[in-house]
Each structure stands twice: as structure tokens, then as C-alpha cells.
């Protein structure tokens, strides 16, 4: 299929350089304000993905994401994620692009360690091909490094 007829591919192609520029900027300035009980916060930052199921054909993926937190317990949050990540193919100039939209929960184990899990949809496209969507799920562990003014850098 011609890439000029796929709106998602046009969007991805036109914004890839902008996203990479944002990735570099956000890598330097990523912070997260912890939501107080009953409060909300927003986290914006870079994403790095390892091609675990397709490492023979794709390189390390890079992108960016945004996560919203809504405090429901002193150490528990409802979370919403929107994330974009692109995996370049090793032997061509094409990419595997993933856009995920998920909702979930996060719990702080202490002031520096948190666990999270989420469910949603993942839109998948390859350069020059149509996109499709599948269910997506994620679990993880994160580390919060305190910086100034009650903010944290999350890894």
C-alpha cells in the first residue's frame, strides 16, 4: 500500500523527527509530581523498548509517553497511559510503531519503589502498511529518584 494513503502512517512519518527531538528534551527534563491523597498528577517522559520477541529483526525502540495519576489511597493510584514507541528494522529503513492507550493501577511500596499494571489497546503499524489494534497489558516496577520541590524522576 502507498504510505501517502494511510493517515496513521502519514502522521507517524511527519512527526517522527519531532518525537525524537521531544524524546531528547524530555530525557533531560522528565519529572513527576507525586499526587497527594485525593489529588492528581501528570508524568511525561521518554520510552525505551527492548524488542524481546523480535530482536533478530528490530533494533531498540524509542518514543515518549504521558501518564496521569489519580490518588485513591494514600499509596495507591489509578493511572492512564498514552505511549508511542518505534522499533527500527535492522535490515531496512522501515519501522514497527506502537501506540498504546491503557488504564490501570499503581501502588507505592515505599517512597522510592512502585509497582504498576495496566490494560488497554495497542495500535500497531509498519512503515508502508495498514495499522491494526490488539488488546494490550503491562506490568512493571519503577524507581522514583527525588529531585527538588517534591518532584521525582521515575525510572
Amino acid at each position: 500500500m502507498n504510505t501517502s494513503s494511510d493517515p496513521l502512517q502519514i502522521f507517524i512519518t511527519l512527526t517522527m523527527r519531532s518525537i525524537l527531538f521531544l524524546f531528547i528534551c524530555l530525557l533531560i527534563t522528565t519529572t513527576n509530581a507525586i499526587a497527594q491523597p485525593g489529588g492528581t498528577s501528570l508524568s511525561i517522559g521518554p520510552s525505551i523498548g527492548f524488542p524481546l520477541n523480535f530482536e533478530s529483526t528490530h533494533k531498540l525502540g524509542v518514543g515518549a509517553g504521558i501518564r496521569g495519576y489519580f490518588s485513591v489511597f494514600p499509596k495507591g493510584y489509578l493511572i492512564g497511559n498514552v505511549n508511542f514507541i518505534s522499533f527500527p528494522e535492522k535490515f531496512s529503513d522501515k519501522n514497527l510503531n506502537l501506540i498504546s492507550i491503557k488504564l490501570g493501577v499503581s501502588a507505592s511500596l515505599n517512597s522510592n519503589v512502585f509497582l504498576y499494571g495496566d490494560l488497554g489497546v495497542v495500535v500497531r503499524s509498519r512503515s508502508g502498511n495498514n495499522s491494526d489494534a490488539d488488546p494490550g497489558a503491562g506490568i512493571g516496577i519503577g524507581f522514583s529518584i527525588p529531585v527538588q520541590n517534591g518532584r521525582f524522576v521515575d525510572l
Side-chain angles (χ1 to χ4, degrees):
M1 174 178 218
N2 185 348
T3 59
S4 63
S5 64
D6 183 359
L8 179 60
Q9 188 61 42
I10 292 170
F11 171 77
I12 291 169
T13 302
L14 293 176
T15 60
M16 183 54 84
R17 288 186 184 145
S18 299
I19 290 171
L20 290 176
F21 176 74
L22 284 174
F23 170 75
I24 292 167
C25 293
L26 293 172
L27 183 61
I28 297 167
T29 62
T30 300
T31 60
N32 172 37
I34 295 297
Q36 299 302 315
T40 60
S41 69
L42 192 62
S43 177
I44 301 171
S47 296
I48 297 174
F50 297 98
L52 298 178
N53 296 333
F54 44 93
E55 67 274 355
S56 63
T57 57
H58 290 78
K59 300 176 186 176
L60 182 73
V62 295
I66 186 168
R67 176 178 288 172
Y69 297 83
F70 178 74
S71 180
V72 291
F73 300 108
K75 292 188 176 191
Y77 305 92
L78 294 177
I79 57 175
N81 298 306
V82 177
N83 194 49
F84 170 83
I85 194 162
S86 182
F87 294 92
E89 290 185 4
K90 287 185 176 179
F91 308 109
S92 74
D93 61 351
K94 296 183 177 186
N95 296 320
L96 170 63
N97 302 301
L98 304 174
I99 299 171
S100 64
I101 303 166
K102 299 185 283 181
L103 298 173
V105 295
S106 176
S108 298
L109 299 179
N110 61 37
S111 62
N112 299 98
V113 180
F114 60 93
L115 300 173
Y116 63 90
D118 49 23
L119 298 168
V121 64
V122 177
V123 179
R124 197 178 46 214
S125 69
R126 290 193 186 277
S127 302
N129 294 328
N130 291 331
S131 60
D132 59 349
D134 291 304
I139 59 170
I141 185 168
F143 303 95
S144 293
I145 301 168
V147 292
Q148 64 187 27
N149 299 328
R151 295 182 181 271
F152 295 82
V153 173
D154 289 347
L155 302 175

